[in-house]
Amino acid sequence: MTLILRRARASDAAAVAEHLAEPDIFPGLLQLPYANAELWQQRLSTPPAAGSPELFLLAERDGKLLGSAGLHPVGAQVRRRHAMALGISVSAAAQGQGIGGALMTALLDYADNWAQVLRVELTVYQDNERAIRLYERHGFEHEGRLRAYALRDGVYVDALTMARLHPKQPSVRS
């Protein structure tokens, strides 16, 4: 029962859509209910732009998708190339089993050691205490509160912005 972390493939589209549609997952994300497998098929079939550091990982055990996480460019602005946005989800039945921690560790290793990322940033609903603790354990700090940030189940909910700067910025070996 080994946990496997791997890049998502186009053939994972239906499983990703099903995972993100879980009633205990989608309210914590900025996704809408009823995830669309065809849209995920298109997204996963389109490779990132040349030179993009984007990464989308899946966590699975015994062939079952338990979590997903990604690093995505925050925009096309040259002056923001050093920053990536992080998103993560873990199935309710798999929470508390180290899956979120494994995905975070893999993404941050990639950001720190391979992708030339200085800043990883995220937005989290202010009442998602479990996710906030995960982010804090991985070095994310609170940067602000976004009032009435998003509509969730008919109610506008506040969100927190959090970010993590590279803990040991790369050096030049002489």
Side-chain angles (χ1 to χ4, degrees):
M1 298 218 306
T2 301
L3 182 67
I4 296 171
L5 302 181
R6 63 172 179 80
R7 283 184 182 262
R9 301 182 288 259
S11 60
D12 296 315
V16 170
E18 183 179 330
H19 168 74
L20 295 177
E22 288 183 30
D24 292 326
I25 290 180
F26 80 81
L29 308 174
L30 282 174
Q31 306 285 323
L32 293 173
Y34 313 112
N36 184 313
E38 289 78 21
L39 289 177
W40 276 101
Q41 177 72 38
Q42 181 181 10
R43 181 175 179 194
L44 295 175
S45 296
T46 306
S52 170
E54 187 163 8
L55 177 65
F56 185 56
L57 295 177
L58 302 180
E60 61 181 27
R61 184 179 290 138
D62 296 328
K64 179 166 176 44
L65 178 62
L66 301 176
S68 65
L71 283 175
H72 312 284
V74 296
Q77 304 91 348
V78 171
R79 293 174 62 186
R80 295 275 289 146
R81 285 187 189 164
H82 65 287
M84 298 283 283
L86 184 142
I88 187 170
S89 63
V90 176
S91 294
Q95 291 180 6
Q97 299 176 24
I99 293 163
L103 285 164
M104 290 291 289
T105 297
L107 286 181
L108 295 175
D109 173 68
Y110 173 78
D112 291 347
N113 298 310
W114 303 101
Q116 299 179 12
V117 176
L118 173 65
R119 175 183 170 85
V120 179
E121 54 194 49
L122 60 88
T123 305
V124 59
Y125 288 118
Q126 58 90 27
D127 58 358
N128 193 343
E129 295 173 9
R130 178 174 243 158
I132 292 167
R133 286 192 308 270
L134 174 69
Y135 304 144
E136 290 171 342
R137 280 195 307 271
H138 286 272
F140 285 79
E141 296 181 15
H142 296 258
E143 294 192 331
R145 176 180 296 273
L146 304 167
R147 296 177 49 214
Y149 182 72
L151 186 66
R152 181 180 68 189
D153 199 22
V155 177
Y156 285 102
V157 181
D158 289 359
L160 304 175
T161 59
M162 299 179 75
R164 172 192 175 273
L165 296 180
H166 194 301
K168 186 180 173 197
Q169 296 175 26
S171 59
V172 176
R173 187 177 299 182
S174 32

